[in-house]
Amino acid sequence: MSDPIIVVGAGLSALRTAESLRKNGYAGSIRVFGEEPHRPYNRPPLSKQALSEGIEAEALAFPLRASVADVEWELEAEVVACDLAAATVTTSDGRTHSMSGLVAASGIRPRRLPIPGPQTGRVLLRTIDDALHLREELASGRRLVILGSGFIGCEVAATARALGCEVDVVSLDSEPMIRPLGSDLGAGMRAHHEEHGVRFHLGRTITEFTGDARVTGALLDDGTHLEADLVLEAVGSVANTEWLEGNGLDLSNGVLTDEYLSIVDSPIPAVAVGDIARHPNALFPGEPMRIEHWNMPTEMGKRAGATLASMIAGESPTGKPFDALPSFWSDQYDVNLQSFGVPGSASSYELAEGTYDGDCIVEYHDATGLIGVIGVNRTTELMPYRKALLAREP
Amino acid sequence: MITISVDTNACNNYGQCCFEAEDIFALDDDGTLQFVPQADDSRLDELENAADACPMQAITLNR
Ligand SMILES: Cc1cc2nc3c(=O)[nH]c(=O)nc-3n(C[C@H](O)[C@H](O)[C@H](O)COP(=O)(O)OP(=O)(O)OC[C@H]3O[C@@H](n4cnc5c(N)ncnc54)[C@H](O)[C@@H]3O)c2cc1C
Ligand code: SF4
């Protein structure tokens, strides 16, 4: 029997790629190694509904289709090394496993800043276990300081306010979520948060945590001292690519793929999918991008499964280069934000409807024209924009 | 026949499912999801794509 396809990481990307391998006729074995003790589950509720209402691993788990019933899930098994020339991976227990092809689906982890002071009381949010811990700590009335004003920081701020916590957000940026939203919509979102009692400390960072065994406060770079029972660090991410080092791959920001999502310079059939993959997109020609949106594993899994199935069969990938439309949503209070395209890459934006601090639609442009749109409580009205973005296709 | 059910408590009316099967899932004028509860077996691929695209994982298919 030939060696299995090995998947590193047991998240949504792993699941969707395995499904697609089956759909594309690969009948050999598939073996997934995942560091967490869980099979693939849905992460977005961890900063929203599940954080406020209760976290049940079973309710968050993705259903497994019959086509992937024979996939082997090796959980709590971290891959520590990979030798592509020898076609093996090594797990933390020292075992080496042979493979015929590789799916890199190990995602990202939250970045940590080296800030002095006590460590206890500093939390991150990426996994079910992180969320269980955070929820326990957010017992009503706690004073929460959030470092970072991206989506995760802002979503947790909204959830924590609903749970009755005091919330301070500290960020070097001049507005929350400024990179994807731009400064005007960022300011509009800040207004929603301030209305709900969140305090922002923008253009600021934390230089030191105070307290003895446990954090009781955070010192900002302007000398302000914020009292805190808990600090959530949500200052961006690091791609989990260390296990791929030593293979001559481009790992400068995630792992670089070609337009079929095949890993560039791999000597064996190998693809990268989801948060870890820096990939070209035919809809938005230019620099390859790494996109941390939930819709990408599903879209990329389809393309990558087809690519890998062809390569394993000794053929070149056929069909269209990867060209899916990135999209994301975010829930904060009664604000439902929805985005299509790549607003974060725009050189200009324009308010198309409404007001920045209320319901609205914002268009994002670059030299090639419309490249993104974001709506606040405007789901139906966004549909024509979505169609226009899909029509960019060459 | 495939029976389609949507957990309306979980559904946040994002409309992501509508892109995959426009004649089965649609948002009405109030932005609330409406759907056809049964579809022919030939639609399985599209329906699975719709269930996969749902951020709330609110769509269940039964055959
Ligand atoms: C709290 C939260 C809220 C979010 N909300 C939204 C949202 O509202 N909208 C949106 O569009 N997106 C959202 N996202 C992003 C979305 O969840 C991600 O884009 C998606 O989970 C990416 O899936 P993935 O499979 O590529 O990576 P992951 O889900 O990170 O899966 C990778 C897995 O690989 C494992 N792994 C890593 N290294 C190794 C190794 N060496 N060996 C073995 N296993 C390894 C990890 O433990 C992890 O389980 C959110 C994410 C989080 C954390
Ligand atoms: S994708 Fe899911 S949450 Fe969105 S409208 Fe459809 S069923 Fe509802």
Side-chain angles (χ1 to χ4, degrees), chain A residues 9 12-13 35-36 43 48 79 106 126 275 294 328-329:
Chain A
L12 180 56
S13 295
E35 199 178 344
E36 291 182 67
R43 289 186 203 278
K48 313 178 185 77
V79 169
S106 48
R126 181 72 187 171
D275 284 5
W294 185 90
F328 71 79
W329 78 97

Side-chain angles (χ1 to χ4, degrees), chain A residues 47-65:
Chain A
S47 50
K48 313 178 185 77
Q49 301 86 354
L51 186 59
S52 62
E53 289 160 21
I55 297 148
E56 280 174 61
E58 244 161 66
L60 293 172
F62 290 111
L64 296 180
R65 299 226 162 93

Side-chain angles (χ1 to χ4, degrees), chain A residues 86-358:
Chain A
T88 59
V89 299
T90 306
T91 38
S92 53
D93 57 7
R95 288 181 301 155
T96 293
H97 315 265
S98 298
M99 60 187 168
S100 59
L102 174 72
V103 179
S106 48
I108 56 166
R109 62 177 180 274
R111 192 154 66 95
R112 295 206 68 179
L113 301 176
I115 301 172
Q119 297 297 309
T120 313
R122 295 173 63 173
V123 298
L124 303 167
L125 179 56
R126 181 72 187 171
T127 66
I128 283 192
D129 298 357
D130 293 340
L132 282 167
H133 178 60
L134 178 59
R135 187 173 149 77
E136 208 177 274
E137 294 273 342
L138 284 182
S140 187
R142 286 253 184 191
R143 293 162 304 177
L144 173 68
V145 169
I146 299 175
L147 180 58
S149 60
F151 280 100
I152 299 213
C154 288
E155 288 176 359
V156 172
T159 305
R161 284 301 295 151
L163 289 172
C165 302
E166 294 280 306
V167 180
D168 286 277
V169 175
V170 180
S171 171
L172 277 175
D173 293 335
S174 56
E175 292 295 353
M177 301 167 281
I178 187 163
R179 260 170 302 274
L181 304 190
S183 52
D184 288 303
L185 188 51
M189 289 301 296
R190 175 166 54 81
H192 288 290
H193 280 276
E194 286 172 342
E195 229 168 81
H196 286 85
V198 174
R199 294 178 294 253
F200 283 89
H201 309 268
L202 297 169
R204 291 281 157 255
T205 190
I206 297 176
T207 52
E208 190 187 331
F209 291 111
T210 53
D212 298 326
R214 192 191 158 100
V215 171
T216 55
L219 195 62
L220 308 192
D221 54 353
D222 64 351
T224 308
H225 184 257
L226 302 174
E227 295 192 347
D229 303 304
L230 191 67
V231 179
L232 173 74
E233 294 173 63
V235 285
S237 57
V238 183
N240 293 320
T241 52
E242 289 83 355
W243 60 276
L244 276 168
E245 280 167 9
N247 289 292
L249 306 177
D250 181 342
L251 302 178
S252 49
N253 171 20
V255 51
L256 181 67
T257 77
D258 68 10
E259 66 273 33
Y260 294 103
L261 306 183
S262 153
I263 295 178
V264 172
D265 290 334
S266 171
I268 62 164
V271 293
V273 184
D275 284 5
I276 193 188
R278 186 157 59 92
H279 60 281
N281 185 325
L283 276 185
F284 305 100
E287 282 296 295
M289 319 176 251
R290 201 172 62 69
I291 296 185
E292 298 175 9
H293 297 347
W294 185 90
N295 88 311
M296 298 309 275
T298 296
E299 301 287 356
M300 297 177 86
K302 284 179 198 155
R303 177 63 261 181
T307 298
L308 191 54
S310 305
M311 292 173 90
I312 293 272
E315 296 155 16
S316 307
T318 53
K320 284 197 300 178
F322 183 68
D323 65 350
L325 185 64
S327 85
F328 71 79
W329 78 97
S330 179
D331 299 317
Q332 298 166 34
Y333 315 104
D334 51 357
V335 178
N336 170 211
L337 214 120
Q338 210 172 3
S339 161
F340 295 101
V342 288
S345 306
S347 50
S348 65
Y349 58 82
E350 197 180 344
L351 186 66
E353 198 190 288
T355 54
Y356 282 115
D357 59 357

